[in-house]
Amino acid sequence: MNKTLLAALLPLFVVGCAATPDKTALQAQGISVDGASTVAFRSVRVEGTTLQGSLKRIGRNPVHFGHLDYTVTDASGKTLQSEQTDYSGAIKQRRSPNASRFSIPLKQAWQPGVHRASIVWHDQPHQP
């Protein structure tokens, strides 16, 4: 009985461990992401002076409203850049398997260990 239970639960532990390095790798770069229950962040990275990645719909329904808020700070916590940004509309389509890409131009070159970024998804329309 115990061996059967262990054999059934082992794949769940492996999947849980496999998902952890992505978030840990982002935190090591100084990037934190927070999505609502409707989207998940994928492939978030800094390339040159651009913070980019994609959003994937978690459920089956389209995402009608939403926007990204982002903040870039230095090591002391001083805000260097803070705005709202748009994304491509792929997640608004009902059956689109494609992720919705976003690209955020940074005002300064990214310095790991010095700069920190926070990206947050909101399920509300973009507000000016």
Side-chain angles (χ1 to χ4, degrees):
M1 176 70 180
N2 287 341
K3 290 181 182 178
T4 305
L5 183 61
L6 181 61
L9 292 177
L10 188 60
L12 296 175
F13 292 124
V14 171
V15 169
C17 292
T20 305
D22 291 333
K23 192 165 191 165
T24 304
L26 282 176
Q27 289 173 348
Q29 295 178 40
I31 302 171
S32 65
V33 293
D34 184 23
S37 60
T38 54
V39 300
F41 286 89
R42 302 279 190 253
S43 304
V44 178
R45 64 203 175 279
V46 176
E47 290 187 8
T49 59
T50 305
L51 179 61
Q52 56 191 356
S54 60
L55 297 166
K56 187 77 172 163
R57 211 177 48 242
I58 293 174
R60 298 182 74 163
N61 295 326
V63 177
H64 295 291
F65 300 106
H67 68 275
L68 293 170
D69 286 339
Y70 68 93
T71 303
V72 178
T73 60
D74 62 11
S76 65
K78 178 183 172 190
T79 301
L80 303 174
Q81 190 173 345
S82 181
E83 296 179 31
Q84 296 177 343
T85 190
D86 294 321
Y87 54 92
S88 66
I91 59 175
K92 291 183 180 183
Q93 300 171 8
R94 181 163 177 79
R95 291 208 162 91
S96 175
N98 301 329
S100 179
R101 295 185 178 131
F102 64 87
S103 180
I104 300 169
L106 301 175
K107 294 179 181 176
Q108 299 178 359
W110 184 261
Q111 296 177 9
V114 176
H115 293 141
R116 300 209 175 277
S118 175
I119 309 170
V120 180
W121 167 262
H122 291 283
D123 289 327
Q124 299 149 356
H126 198 39
Q127 303 208 358

